[in-house]
Amino acid sequence: MRNIFLFIRRYFNFLSFLALQALALSFLFRYNKFHEAAFASVANEVTGRINGQYNTVEYYFKLKKANENLVKENLALRDLLRSNYQQPDSSKRLVVDSIRVDSLKPFQKYIYRDAKVVGSFVTTQTNFITIHRGSSQGIQPDMAVIGPGGVVGRVVNTSPNFSTVMTMISRVFKVDGKLKNTGERGSISWDGQNPRLVQMRNIPKSVPVQKGDSVLTSELSSIFPPNILIGTVDSVLNDPSTNFYNLRLKTATNFSTVQFVYVVQNRLLEEQANLEKATRNTNE
Amino acid sequence: MSDFLKHSMRALLFLLVQVFVLHKIPPLHQFVVPYIYFLFIIWLPFNTGRTWLMIIAFIYGLALDYFLMWPGIHAAACVMIAYLRPFLVNLLIRQEGAEQSYGAPSINSMGWAPYSVLVVVLTLVHHTYLVFLEWLSFGSFWYFLGKVGASTGVSLLLILVTEMLFYRKEKFRTNM
C-alpha cells in the first residue's frame, strides 16, 4: 500500500497529465458521436451571450448584405403569389373551396421559426453558427436550418436561449440533393477546402449537367423540406475511372455574411422515423 | 498590478483575439490556420507548479473549445504543451537560477536562442498534436503534413510580431 502511495507521489505530474488528456479526449470523441459534451448547455449559453455582444458590432457592417438577401427572398416569394398568374383558358376557373382551405391547416408538415445568427466561423474544418433561439422557443436538435438563400445546416445542440448549428461546410455534414432539371440524386458533402464550394457525388455521366444548374434538397432528406436550394453547379469534374461525375457546387448561402435563418421543424419526422425503425426490425 | 490579475487579463485578451480576430478572418487556404492563444501558456511564470500549469492549460483550452464548439481538441493540445514546458525550460535555461531570479520565460530572462527554441518546439508540438487529433476524424497524410507546416509558420510569424509589439521587460527579482 505504501509503495502505491509512493508511486503516485513520484509520478503525480505524469499521472495528472494522463488524467487531463483522457478527460479532453473523452470530450472530443464523445462529442463527435453524440454532439453533446459536459457542460455544453451552460457553455453554449455563455459563449452565445459573448457572441451576441460581438454580433451587435458585426451586424452593423453586414446590414446591407442581409437586407439585399431578404429583399431577394421576398421577391422570390412574391413571384409565387396566386394573383400573379392568369388562367390561359377562360372556361377554366380557379375555385377555392373554403372548407378545404381550413382543413389544410392541421396538415402543415413543416413549421418555420425565424432566428438571428449571433456567431459564425468559417475557418475551421467543422464550422458552426450560433443562433439566438433555444429550447425555450421550441428548437430541438436535428431540426433543419435554412437561410434566405438556401440550405444552412442542422441544429446539433440547444440551451435555453441559444442553439448551435452545424453548417453545410463541415466535414461530417451530409445532405441528399438532386439536380433541378433531371431529378438525379446525389450526396453532398464538403472537402474542407473552400468555404464557398461543396462537392456532389454519384451523378451518372449520362445526365447532361451544365455550369449554373441548380441543385435542390431531395424528397429523401427527412429533416430538410424538399426543393430548397443547396447551390449551383460551379464546375463538372470528370473522373475517367468511374461512370460518375463529381460536381463542385457554389453554395447558395454565404456562410460568412448570413444574418437571419429559419429553423424548420418536420412535424412528421418522429412518425416517419418510428415506421422506418419498425420496418427494419421486422426485416431482421 | 498583481500577477494573478495580469495573467487573467492576458488570458482573456488572447482568447478574444483568437476567437474574434484570427478565427473571423477569411482563410487563405485550408492549411493556414493562425494560432496565437497558446502563447499565454508559454508566458506563465516559471514558479507555477507543474500540476497547476496543466490544470490552467486545460481550462484555458476548453474555453477556446467551447467558442469553436469542438470540446476537447484544444484542451488536449494545451495540456500537452503545459506538460512539456518545464522539461524544455530545464534543458534550455541559460544559467543556474534564472528560474528563481526572473518571473516568466522571455527573451530577457532566457536569451534569444533558448527562448526561440522553446517557442518553436512548443508551437510545433501544439500544432502537430492538434492536427493529429483532427486527422483521426478526417483528412489524409498530406493534409496532416501541410497543415502542421503552414499553421506553424503562420503562428511563429504572429508570435514574432507579438514579441516585438509587446516587449515584456522581466523584472530581475532580488531576495528582498
Side-chain angles (χ1 to χ4, degrees):
Chain A
M1 201 63 197
R2 191 167 160 269
N3 282 340
I4 294 173
F5 282 126
L6 279 177
F7 176 80
I8 292 175
R9 252 182 79 175
R10 186 149 181 216
Y11 293 102
F12 183 69
N13 284 319
F14 185 64
L15 290 176
S16 54
F17 167 69
L18 284 185
L20 286 174
Q21 280 290 327
L23 193 61
L25 293 183
S26 78
F27 279 176
L28 179 62
F29 292 116
R30 264 187 56 225
Y31 184 74
N32 282 347
K33 210 177 256 172
F34 299 115
H35 299 300
E36 57 185 25
F39 325 117
S41 184
V42 183
N44 207 356
E45 201 72 13
V46 175
T47 56
R49 276 184 203 290
I50 300 172
N51 272 323
Q53 284 299 316
Y54 176 81
N55 184 257
T56 50
V57 179
E58 191 190 28
Y59 182 43
Y60 180 76
F61 292 103
K62 289 179 177 167
L63 261 181
K64 204 172 154 190
K65 199 84 200 162
N67 243 338
E68 258 168 41
N69 285 336
L70 294 175
V71 168
K72 237 181 252 169
E73 194 196 12
N74 265 341
L75 202 66
L77 292 176
R78 268 185 191 280
D79 270 345
L80 299 177
L81 283 181
R82 194 185 287 126
S83 56
N84 287 339
Y85 296 92
Q86 203 176 12
Q87 294 296 324
D89 189 348
S90 58
S91 66
K92 280 184 188 164
R93 216 152 48 85
L94 192 68
V95 179
V96 179
D97 190 335
S98 58
I99 298 167
R100 189 85 193 105
V101 168
D102 263 323
S103 64
L104 268 176
K105 185 71 178 141
F107 291 101
Q108 185 180 8
K109 187 180 171 189
Y110 296 102
I111 295 177
Y112 290 72
R113 292 180 175 86
D114 69 312
K116 173 91 179 59
V117 176
V118 292
S120 71
F121 295 99
V122 294
T123 47
T124 56
Q125 296 288 304
T126 43
N127 295 300
F128 292 87
I129 59 176
T130 309
I131 57 174
H132 201 310
R133 278 275 185 278
S135 50
S136 316
Q137 288 90 32
I139 310 283
Q140 287 154 14
D142 272 344
M143 283 185 179
V145 178
I146 61 178
V151 168
V152 171
R154 182 162 55 93
V155 176
V156 289
N157 216 332
T158 58
S159 65
N161 294 305
F162 294 93
S163 308
T164 52
V165 177
M166 183 188 273
T167 58
M168 193 159 61
I169 48 168
S170 294
R171 294 284 277 251
V172 285
F173 185 85
K174 279 194 175 54
V175 62
D176 205 57
K178 64 174 183 192
L179 287 169
K180 189 184 178 187
N181 293 339
T182 57
E184 290 292 334
R185 278 198 304 268
S187 156
I188 292 161
S189 56
W190 187 51
D191 65 350
Q193 292 188 1
N194 188 329
R196 282 314 301 274
L197 299 174
V198 291
Q199 273 63 37
M200 184 178 194
R201 281 178 195 84
N202 291 344
I203 297 295
K205 284 185 179 167
S206 55
V207 176
V209 186
Q210 276 183 337
K211 192 181 169 183
D213 283 359
S214 301
V215 176
L216 311 175
T217 53
S218 78
E219 285 80 359
L220 289 192
S221 161
S222 51
I223 62 165
F224 283 103
N227 304 324
I228 303 288
L229 188 64
I230 296 174
T232 51
V233 176
D234 182 70
S235 56
V236 181
L237 306 176
N238 193 353
D239 182 0
S241 63
T242 65
N243 279 327
F244 298 103
Y245 281 132
N246 274 343
L247 306 184
R248 204 188 277 156
L249 312 180
K250 193 166 198 293
T251 57
T253 309
N254 183 351
F255 292 94
S256 51
T257 58
V258 65
Q259 288 292 334
F260 284 101
V261 292
Y262 308 102
V263 184
V264 189
Q265 179 186 8
N266 181 354
R267 294 173 72 198
L268 299 181
L269 181 63
E270 201 180 342
E271 190 184 330
Q272 190 185 343
N274 284 342
L275 179 65
E276 281 168 1
K277 201 172 139 209
T279 316
R280 218 173 299 132
N281 286 344
T282 31
N283 282 346
E284 269 166 11
Chain B
M1 207 181 341
S2 80
D3 249 20
F4 177 76
L5 197 65
K6 188 175 84 182
H7 284 286
S8 324
M9 281 180 62
R10 198 179 271 168
L12 198 67
L13 212 64
F14 268 128
L15 209 60
L16 290 181
V17 166
Q18 181 66 45
V19 174
F20 291 112
V21 179
L22 295 180
H23 270 96
K24 289 284 180 190
I25 50 176
L28 280 174
H29 188 265
Q30 69 172 134
F31 288 165
V32 186
V33 182
Y35 279 113
I36 198 165
Y37 75 102
F38 60 91
L39 200 55
F40 163 72
I41 295 163
I42 301 180
W43 281 3
L44 281 173
F46 281 125
N47 60 8
T48 322
R50 292 180 56 185
T51 314
W52 274 113
L53 197 64
M54 282 190 277
I55 291 170
I56 292 169
F58 179 78
I59 294 168
Y60 182 64
L62 207 60
L64 178 66
D65 284 334
Y66 279 127
F67 271 105
L68 301 178
M69 288 158 232
W70 203 1
I73 189 157
H74 294 99
C78 280
V79 170
M80 179 66 107
I81 62 168
Y83 179 66
L84 291 178
R85 200 192 83 156
F87 290 111
L88 274 171
V89 167
N90 281 342
L91 277 176
L92 293 168
I93 209 89
R94 192 173 39 176
Q95 78 259 19
E96 245 353 275
E99 290 180 56
Q100 272 82 48
S101 37
Y102 285 101
S106 73
I107 299 166
N108 241 339
S109 62
M110 295 177 72
W112 252 108
Y115 180 69
S116 31
V117 170
L118 177 77
V119 169
V120 169
V121 170
L122 288 185
T123 310
L124 202 62
V125 167
H126 173 268
H127 284 66
T128 310
Y129 194 47
L130 193 74
V131 182
F132 175 72
L133 288 178
E134 227 175 68
W135 180 32
L136 291 181
S137 316
F138 43 70
S140 64
F141 184 65
W142 291 114
Y143 169 81
F144 172 70
L145 274 190
K147 191 162 179 184
V148 169
S151 300
T152 308
V154 174
S155 301
L156 286 176
L157 197 71
L158 271 173
I159 291 173
L160 185 70
V161 171
T162 317
E163 289 286 352
M164 285 170 149
L165 277 179
F166 304 100
Y167 182 73
R168 289 170 304 136
K169 208 170 167 192
E170 287 297 332
K171 281 197 295 275
F172 187 86
R173 286 199 302 204
T174 50
N175 283 332
M176 276 183 284

